[in-house]
Amino acid sequence: MKIRIINPNTTWSMTEKMAASARAIARPGTEVVAVSPSMGPASIESHYDEALAVPGLLQEVARGEREGVDGYVIACFGDPGLLAARELARGPVVGIAEAAMHMASLIGSRFSVVTTLGRTTGIAWHLAEAYGMKRFCAKVRACELPVLELERPGSNARALITDECRRALEEDGADVIVLGCAGMTDLCEAISHEIGVPVIDGVTAAVQLVDSLVSLGLRTSKRGPLAAPPVKAYSGVLQGFALQDGGLKQVA
Ligand code: 5HY
């Protein structure tokens, strides 16, 4: 089985962290590859970043389709481009927010999300609503940490995130924590051990869900809204996104 983790931002150190987390839990026989697009934002911290991350993300899905990838993880807590990716993919495509929230609802009564910048909390709330998880979500918290601080050696990211997780337990009535950034994937186990409750990393949660779906022979349904997009021309820098034979005309 081949699973492709797509980190929609272009910071490869973060992508490599995700690959390490995923390979640590992947079943024997499941090959996990983690990639970043050749174009896009260095980090995703706004609607603008999310929008500009999607073209590169879709190129990576198209490349995966040509390489026979069985399923995909969209490894950004805003789950950017999720439905568009499902239109392109034959196999399952799972977003890390979607995976983490659903898993949290299976092991606790209420979860809090701890993410990076406060300006992105609305995106997480929107997803909780869209996924039917709002009734389980106690709060979406932010530790006011720029995403790339997670990559800076010597930053106090882990302490800031852990403190915010503690506040979630004390103030929100949460009994599970969801890490609201793929870049936190390497902190999950240590924070869970420190605060004494389950902490969910969406990257590994999504990898396991994709593995389960593929193992059950389940693929994205191509009847209706997630069928391949209608063929048409795209102009300017998007010319290469025109579809032919079910794939992009030009996969960079
Ligand atoms: C993520 N941004 O998971 C989101 C986290 C966030 O570059 N990867 C990013 O703060 O929304």
Side-chain angles (χ1 to χ4, degrees), residues 7-9 14 18 42-46 50 75-78 96 115-117 120 123 145 147 180-183:
N7 169 18
N9 74 42
M14 198 177 290
M18 299 178 202
S43 64
I44 299 166
E45 303 172 308
S46 65
E50 279 210 357
C76 171
F77 203 77
I96 66 169
T115 190
T116 52
L117 292 181
T120 66
I123 296 172
L145 185 75
V147 170
C181 180

Side-chain angles (χ1 to χ4, degrees), residues 1-16:
M1 184 188 309
K2 289 169 72 173
I3 296 176
R4 176 169 285 212
I5 300 173
I6 303 173
N7 169 18
N9 74 42
T10 56
T11 298
W12 274 93
S13 61
M14 198 177 290
T15 308
E16 280 146 19

Side-chain angles (χ1 to χ4, degrees), residues 193-222:
H193 184 74
E194 198 162 334
I195 67 174
V197 301
V199 175
I200 299 179
D201 155 41
V203 175
T204 48
V207 166
Q208 295 295 44
L209 279 180
V210 169
D211 191 298
S212 298
L213 290 165
V214 175
S215 300
L216 290 170
L218 296 172
R219 301 156 65 119
T220 297
S221 173
K222 292 303 169 184

